Amino acid sequence: MALLQISEPGQSAAPHQHKLAVGIDLGTTNSLLATVRSGMSTVLQDEHGHALLPSVVRFLPNGEIVVGHEAQAQQSADPVNTIASVKRFMGRSLHDIADRAHIPYRFVEDAASNKQVQLQTRAGLKTPVEISAEILKALKVRAEHSLGGELTGAVITVPAYFDDAQRQATKDAARLAGVNVLRLLNEPTAAAVAYGLDNNAEGTFVIYDLGGGTFDVSILKLTKGVFEVLATNGDSALGGDDFDHRIYCWVLDEIRDKVRNAGSHIAPLNEEDTRLLLTKARQAKEWLTDNFEAQIVCKLSNGTLVDVTLSATQFVELTQHLVTKTLTPTRKAMRDAGLDIADIKGVVLVGGATRMPQIRHAVEDYFKQTPLTNLDPDKVVALGAAIQANALVGNRSDNDLLLLDVTPLSLGLETMGGLVEKIIPRNSTLPVARAQDFTTYKDGQTAMSIQVVQGERELVADCRSLARFELRGIPPMAAGAARIRVTFQVDADGLLSVTAREQTSGVEAHVVVKPSYGLTEEEITTMLTSSYGSAEADKKSRMLAEARVNAGAIINAVTLALTADSHLISIEEKQVIEAEIARLQALASADDAVAINKGVDALNHATEAFAQARMNASVARALSGKNLEELKL
Amino acid sequence: MSLNHFDIFGLGACFNLDLQALESRYRKIQSDYHPDRFVTAAATERLQSMQIATQANEAYLTLKKPATRAQYLLELQRIQAVSETNTAMPIDFLMQQMEWREQLEDAKLEKNMEALEALIRTLKTESNQLEADFTEQYDLKKDYTSATDTARKLIFIDKLSSDAKSAIEALD
């Protein structure tokens, strides 16, 4: 299909089967999924008609696991085994989690798994990845049930400000759940897609996304189906939960005061009471969106009766600093994009927490315009993700959208003295490659350790370490004589690879960065086998089917390309390609998936020069003799 | 394939660039060659599309900003505007430089946001004048020696301006 597109830009490709793809919004508070049906992005509901699946997982005494409303209902009764807001712990160590004293879970730091935090439940130790996987499994079941077939893949959204450890944890969760991830998409970008396509919007827009646990702000330029992210910023530990928490602390202060006035003191809260009060706090917050005051009434397990009234004005005062905290990243993003308030055509609010009136007022004050709220802030992210998923599996649609996304955080490496040298600055458009030369520090130095880090701070200790690898075999030279070129490459999926090459000898080391927080292959395999038992035969037949589909697609593409452009290569080259096609056709009719995949690789290899020639010819064709009018989109 | 940053957008190599044309051609290239358009294509084509999209991003970034555009144009003439052996600067510009640096340091110490913003505005005015000079020297007179001096000033000012912006960010 892509080959056809090159030879005839603008013409539609050969028709093919519609693939089942979904967009998943894996939220802190709620998760949901959407798909494109007859050209429209639609949210998929469960059998009770619920669109939102509360992101709550409960481990039952009988070994069963329940997810969603049923789990949420038991939150206060069984807090230790009912995990909510697990997204806040993804890719995090215990040390990263603020306020853990007020979170009713039993955290365990596991030295063996690279300090990834774990939760003690009655089902044993659980990582946030495993708990998230349960939510994804529930969504997958919902998808396959309502679409009536197996999913080809999913686009899962993540906060734009998630770092690589958090992104990798999300991908690991999807693998555990058996969901094929087409792409991790930034939540504000997904929202912009849904909003932009729905409103046929053109111009520069700000997406202000305050979710349950994360805050993101992105600035996008929308031009005829191209969504260009100009800048993104945020705070991956700030969200609606923090507003609940402010109310919770206020209630505690109130009861302490009352108890103290009565000449007594209050015992520390147990986990059930903490969860109960947090739930009451959340309800009060939601109530205050449309009301002047909220009454919080409940009975703690020790018999203490809580009965307090919180006014909307008090709530605004209590949370003023949280609202202000969202404006700092907003200003940073505006500066990075080099824009003034007057350049902004519209501000789109995303995330349930943007329903709070104080948020709307703050956004309105800063941008001097009324924010746009015509799409459901809970659903817009999933709707946008579904549109991108549909495009990425190759389903044709009328709105040919393209997303140009950016790196949210700077990438660099450690230099002498624990300092960070930035190689790829934040907000670089993907794909991006950058190289920088380094040299040796000591005479006769033959190896160099390269530590890859992510973050904006100047000291390595303040950034997140993503990987460490070594370049060995540097010829001994005087200090400062060797020329080591380090190249960072981030592809369209956001995957980083780093290559170090000594220029005179050509010795080279390469690493595809898998953050040290991610699970190892063995861990994933163990988790997969323990959760699925022996589905080996099943896996084999699926592999064979996939291999055959791949082979068919490439044979089809190459044949079409040869018909259109065989004049670009010699007759001998053409014969080699045709021989590989014939070989692959024979392999595809047999039952050996590995052999088929090898045949696909061989055909790919044989067509390298041809593909390059076609690309060059195509670029030349696209640019030669076209005046500006024709090139305008 | 070795296309330079102007070639890839089908634009002539000059400083006085039609920025709207640059932007629309950048979008056109990405629309046609971005890896997301090739998800179902063969591996070699995916790699090619990534290379084209990567270069388009790099080229767009370089040509968009006057300082880097000037520097790149000189590279096309095999001139390194900034290098260890090429550091000569007129004395009056150096004096001016130092004065701006002092203003920046004072504003940082005083945490004076307005002073930082005023400095950025001054630098912008200065930059506009240098851009006009560079157009004259490079595009019209092909006087690459003078153009190199101007480019160096532009790069200095650009660096200072981004330092002032980071100072504002640190205060925020």
Side-chain angles (χ1 to χ4, degrees):
Chain A
M1 175 194 137
L3 280 154
L4 243 190
Q5 271 183 336
I6 297 175
S7 55
E8 303 291 342
Q11 268 194 12
S12 67
H16 55 88
Q17 204 193 347
H18 183 89
K19 292 179 183 149
L20 300 181
V22 293
I24 297 178
D25 176 358
L26 184 60
T28 307
T29 319
N30 293 298
S31 297
L32 68 159
L33 83 167
T35 195
V36 174
R37 271 200 276 223
S38 2
M40 282 285 290
S41 191
T42 335
V43 167
L44 298 178
Q45 300 180 335
D46 68 7
E47 64 272 25
H48 305 296
H50 295 299
L52 302 185
L53 176 76
S55 302
V56 184
V57 177
R58 180 170 180 230
F59 299 94
L60 270 55
N62 64 4
E64 247 183 84
I65 301 171
V66 293
V67 180
H69 293 283
E70 199 184 328
Q72 193 178 38
Q74 297 304 313
Q75 232 178 322
S76 299
D78 187 15
V80 175
N81 302 298
T82 311
I83 316 298
S85 298
V86 70
K87 188 175 180 178
R88 300 199 103 170
F89 317 135
M90 292 289 272
R92 287 287 167 257
S93 70
L94 197 52
H95 149 93
D96 294 321
I97 302 166
D99 285 331
R100 59 179 178 272
H102 294 290
I103 306 173
Y105 306 132
R106 295 182 181 152
F107 291 105
V108 179
E109 186 143 10
D110 182 13
S113 71
N114 293 320
K115 294 200 299 180
Q116 175 173 238
V117 73
Q118 295 187 308
L119 282 77
Q120 180 72 57
T121 70
R122 66 162 65 90
L125 281 178
K126 291 285 172 187
T127 63
V129 168
E130 290 168 281
I131 298 167
S132 284
E134 295 302 331
I135 301 171
L136 287 170
K137 276 182 208 166
L139 291 173
K140 187 182 185 225
V141 168
R142 187 193 289 188
E144 294 185 340
H145 184 254
S146 61
L147 297 175
E150 198 179 342
L151 274 189
T152 304
V155 165
I156 302 181
T157 60
V158 290
Y161 222 55
F162 252 21
D163 66 21
D164 267 35
Q166 293 165 302
R167 285 168 198 263
Q168 187 61 49
T170 308
K171 281 189 187 169
D172 289 343
R175 280 194 63 188
L176 271 184
V179 173
N180 172 34
V181 182
L182 300 164
R183 171 78 49 88
L184 294 182
L185 180 62
N186 292 329
E187 285 160 11
T189 312
V193 168
Y195 179 83
L197 293 179
D198 213 51
N199 295 271
N200 223 347
E202 297 266 302
T204 307
F205 287 80
V206 171
I207 313 293
Y208 179 104
D209 178 358
L210 189 64
T214 56
F215 172 66
D216 280 326
V217 57
S218 287
I219 303 172
L220 288 100
K221 189 162 183 178
L222 279 54
T223 323
K224 304 230 165 69
V226 180
F227 292 70
E228 186 184 353
V229 182
L230 300 178
T232 195
N233 213 298
D235 186 334
S236 62
L238 173 66
D241 283 4
D242 296 293
F243 289 74
D244 302 352
H245 194 247
R246 287 303 301 147
I247 299 179
Y248 162 89
C249 291
W250 175 83
V251 173
L252 279 189
D253 285 346
E254 289 290 302
I255 28 186
R256 282 208 186 96
D257 281 351
K258 275 186 193 165
V259 173
R260 200 179 301 124
N261 290 341
S264 173
H265 66 88
I266 186 166
L269 293 188
N270 63 22
E271 287 143 345
E272 284 79 5
D273 290 340
T274 300
R275 178 44 70 196
L276 176 66
L277 279 182
L278 281 172
T279 306
K280 290 285 173 189
R282 177 171 53 80
Q283 289 164 350
K285 173 188 74 177
E286 287 166 5
W287 178 255
L288 286 173
T289 293
D290 300 309
N291 299 280
F292 292 115
E293 56 179 45
Q295 206 183 4
I296 300 168
V297 185
C298 61
K299 197 173 175 185
L300 300 183
S301 49
N302 64 3
T304 311
L305 195 68
V306 177
D307 183 357
V308 289
T309 305
L310 177 66
S311 74
T313 320
Q314 276 174 307
F315 179 46
V316 170
E317 279 166 22
L318 283 177
T319 56
Q320 186 55 46
H321 69 289
L322 295 173
V323 176
T324 309
K325 246 174 119 175
T326 68
L327 293 178
T328 309
T330 306
R331 281 193 296 271
K332 281 187 183 165
M334 288 291 287
R335 270 200 298 273
D336 280 355
L339 295 173
D340 293 323
I341 303 293
D343 299 321
I344 302 302
K345 180 112 175 260
V347 185
V348 182
L349 294 185
V350 182
T354 59
R355 289 199 175 90
M356 284 184 278
Q358 63 262 52
I359 294 289
R360 300 200 167 185
H361 293 148
V363 171
E364 188 162 344
D365 278 354
Y366 180 74
F367 286 103
K368 312 268 183 285
Q369 58 176 293
T370 314
L372 304 161
T373 51
N374 52 339
L375 285 179
D376 184 340
D378 285 326
K379 293 179 184 160
V380 62
V381 168
L383 293 172
I387 296 167
Q388 172 76 339
N390 195 53
L392 287 180
V393 291
N395 289 337
R396 301 286 298 177
S397 70
D398 299 334
N399 33 44
D400 223 0
L401 94 148
L402 178 71
L403 297 184
L404 298 174
D405 221 329
V406 300
T407 52
L409 297 156
S410 301
L411 294 161
L413 50 79
E414 176 178 9
T415 59
M416 288 306 301
L419 294 176
V420 176
E421 177 72 25
K422 284 179 190 164
I423 308 284
I424 296 182
R426 70 161 187 250
N427 291 324
S428 298
T429 308
L430 301 180
V432 59
R434 282 288 160 78
Q436 191 152 323
D437 287 345
F438 293 88
T439 189
T440 45
Y441 174 67
K442 279 193 227 156
D443 286 339
Q445 185 176 338
T446 57
M448 189 178 250
S449 172
I450 291 161
Q451 158 139 262
V452 183
V453 298
Q454 184 172 42
E456 306 312 316
R457 308 282 294 276
E458 284 175 16
L459 292 175
V460 169
D462 299 326
C463 290
R464 192 160 291 272
S465 170
L466 298 180
R468 181 190 281 280
F469 69 106
E470 286 199 346
L471 176 67
R472 295 181 172 280
I474 303 171
M477 281 182 257
R483 279 280 166 273
I484 290 128
R485 174 155 296 180
V486 179
T487 308
F488 277 50
Q489 164 107 49
V490 186
D491 69 13
D493 288 314
L495 189 72
L496 168 68
S497 54
V498 181
T499 306
R501 183 186 161 90
E502 202 286 307
Q503 300 290 71
T504 53
S505 61
V507 292
E508 197 173 276
H510 179 83
V511 64
V512 174
V513 173
K514 172 155 179 161
S516 20
Y517 270 62
L519 301 170
T520 64
E521 281 302 310
E522 297 87 84
E523 282 173 307
I524 293 264
T525 318
T526 318
M527 285 176 180
L528 278 175
T529 38
S530 63
S531 58
Y532 288 132
S534 58
E536 199 57 29
D538 203 47
K539 214 168 93 188
K540 262 194 180 148
S541 68
R542 192 189 305 170
M543 266 179 65
L544 180 62
E546 277 173 13
R548 279 185 181 147
V549 169
N550 276 341
I554 184 179
I555 290 172
N556 192 24
V558 175
T559 313
L560 283 167
L562 282 176
T563 322
D565 283 328
S566 61
H567 61 276
L568 293 171
I569 45 170
S570 68
I571 293 182
E572 291 76 26
E573 282 174 305
K574 189 179 175 209
Q575 283 167 345
V576 171
I577 295 173
E578 281 167 345
E580 286 296 346
I581 293 179
R583 224 166 67 84
L584 182 55
Q585 273 164 338
L587 285 170
S589 54
D591 287 342
D592 185 350
V594 177
I596 299 176
N597 286 335
K598 276 190 182 155
V600 168
D601 287 344
L603 181 54
N604 263 329
H605 185 67
T607 56
E608 254 166 48
F610 182 40
Q612 172 129 20
R614 299 191 76 229
M615 275 284 182
N616 289 348
S618 158
V619 172
R621 225 175 8 240
L623 298 172
S624 63
K626 286 207 177 177
N627 63 32
L628 190 58
E629 275 315 299
E630 286 175 71
L631 273 171
K632 271 192 182 150
L633 289 165
Chain B
M1 173 173 55
S2 175
L3 293 169
N4 77 30
H5 287 354
F6 289 95
D7 294 341
I8 190 168
F9 299 125
L11 294 166
C14 68
F15 186 74
N16 191 14
L17 200 60
D18 179 347
L19 291 176
Q20 277 192 332
L22 174 69
E23 194 181 320
S24 65
R25 285 175 186 222
Y26 165 71
R27 266 204 211 97
K28 171 75 180 151
I29 288 279
Q30 290 293 13
S31 280
D32 289 349
Y33 298 103
H34 192 276
D36 284 2
R37 297 282 196 238
F38 291 85
V39 276
T40 54
T44 44
E45 282 193 329
R46 290 206 306 269
L47 185 65
Q48 286 273 308
S49 103
M50 187 167 88
Q51 284 166 351
I52 292 175
T54 304
Q55 196 196 344
N57 281 332
E58 183 68 30
Y60 182 51
L61 194 68
T62 307
L63 300 189
K64 208 163 47 168
K65 281 172 52 188
T68 45
R69 184 164 73 243
Q71 195 172 356
Y72 184 73
L73 279 166
L74 289 166
E75 278 172 30
L76 292 181
Q77 306 299 331
R78 304 184 180 286
I79 300 168
Q80 288 295 330
V82 185
S83 73
E84 285 158 25
T85 52
N86 196 354
T87 54
M89 273 286 186
I91 190 78
D92 55 337
F93 185 77
L94 282 178
M95 297 298 285
Q96 178 67 71
Q97 258 282 116
M98 279 165 64
E99 202 177 298
W100 284 327
R101 279 270 161 218
E102 273 166 27
Q103 283 180 22
L104 174 59
E105 292 311 315
D106 289 348
K108 271 204 231 168
L109 277 175
E110 292 161 10
K111 302 191 188 307
N112 187 341
M113 196 82 120
E114 279 82 46
L116 288 169
E117 277 161 3
L119 178 61
I120 290 172
R121 280 194 299 274
T122 309
L123 294 172
K124 180 73 194 136
T125 314
E126 191 71 20
S127 180
N128 288 344
Q129 181 56 47
L130 290 168
E131 287 164 37
D133 293 349
F134 193 90
T135 306
E136 172 92 16
Q137 293 155 350
Y138 189 100
D139 291 358
L140 301 174
K141 294 186 179 154
K142 315 238 177 285
D143 174 0
Y144 300 134
T145 318
S146 307
T148 307
D149 288 341
T150 309
R152 225 175 287 151
K153 290 179 187 171
L154 262 179
I155 294 161
F156 261 99
I157 286 177
D158 185 58
K159 173 81 173 68
L160 198 57
S161 181
S162 69
D163 287 351
K165 281 175 193 156
S166 332
I168 290 183
E169 179 159 340
L171 285 186
D172 199 357

